[in-house]
Amino acid sequence: MDDFTITRDRDDIDMEESDVDRLKKSVTKRKGRGITHRSDAMSGDFDEIGGEDKPGAPQKSIEGWIIFITNVHIEATENDIFDKFSEFGDIKNMHANLDRRTGYLKGYVCIEYEQYSEAQSAIDAMHKGDFLGQELEVSWAFVRPSVKSSKSGNRRTRERRRGRSPSPSSD
């Protein structure tokens, strides 16, 4: 099909009425970003990031395996955390966010390891482990979500079942 450019200036339009009608008939209405069906968006060729397929399994980020550590003592330094967690493997990246007002840690840290085995050994060794007098919570930052069944049909029946209160009768 030929490409047409229609502008608001009538002098630029150089089309017959029959051409305009034919053009209007050939146009398909699209909403959003031009996708006609939802299935079109999901039929693309997407890259896969490593990890297991079962729900709740850890998922690899773009560059490595990230663990999330909470309940970190606020007076811990980045060097303390780095020294402790580098025992399990080479740390590729570490984020220890600080409170602007106090300058202390906010209580959580994200650490990225290159290898799955390094991250898993850090989780196994440090989850519920003591660090500067506090019990750490160590887990995966990204896990595969659980599969949810579609219950849209059940919602409709529930809404139908839940009726309105009876109106007071006017006698």
Side-chain angles (χ1 to χ4, degrees), residues 95-146:
H95 289 280
N97 293 330
L98 302 177
D99 189 332
R100 287 186 212 157
R101 187 174 49 86
T102 63
Y104 292 123
L105 280 175
K106 285 192 170 184
Y108 64 91
V109 178
C110 293
I111 296 178
E112 182 177 354
Y113 289 99
E114 181 76 36
Q115 301 295 321
Y116 172 85
S117 58
E118 297 170 344
Q120 185 63 54
S121 63
I123 290 172
D124 293 341
M126 293 304 295
H127 183 65
K128 302 287 184 186
D130 183 63
F131 183 69
L132 298 177
Q134 288 193 227
E135 186 178 277
L136 296 179
E137 295 286 329
V138 184
S139 61
W140 293 104
F142 302 110
V143 294
R144 182 170 292 281
S146 61

Side-chain angles (χ1 to χ4, degrees), residues 23-57:
L23 178 64
K24 285 181 180 179
K25 288 178 184 175
S26 67
V27 172
T28 59
K29 291 184 180 182
R30 296 182 180 207
K31 293 183 178 182
R33 296 179 182 251
I35 300 173
T36 57
H37 300 317
R38 176 134 174 86
S39 61
D40 292 345
M42 303 313 278
S43 65
D45 185 25
F46 299 103
D47 293 336
E48 279 289 321
I49 296 177
E52 296 181 30
D53 289 337
K54 64 182 181 178

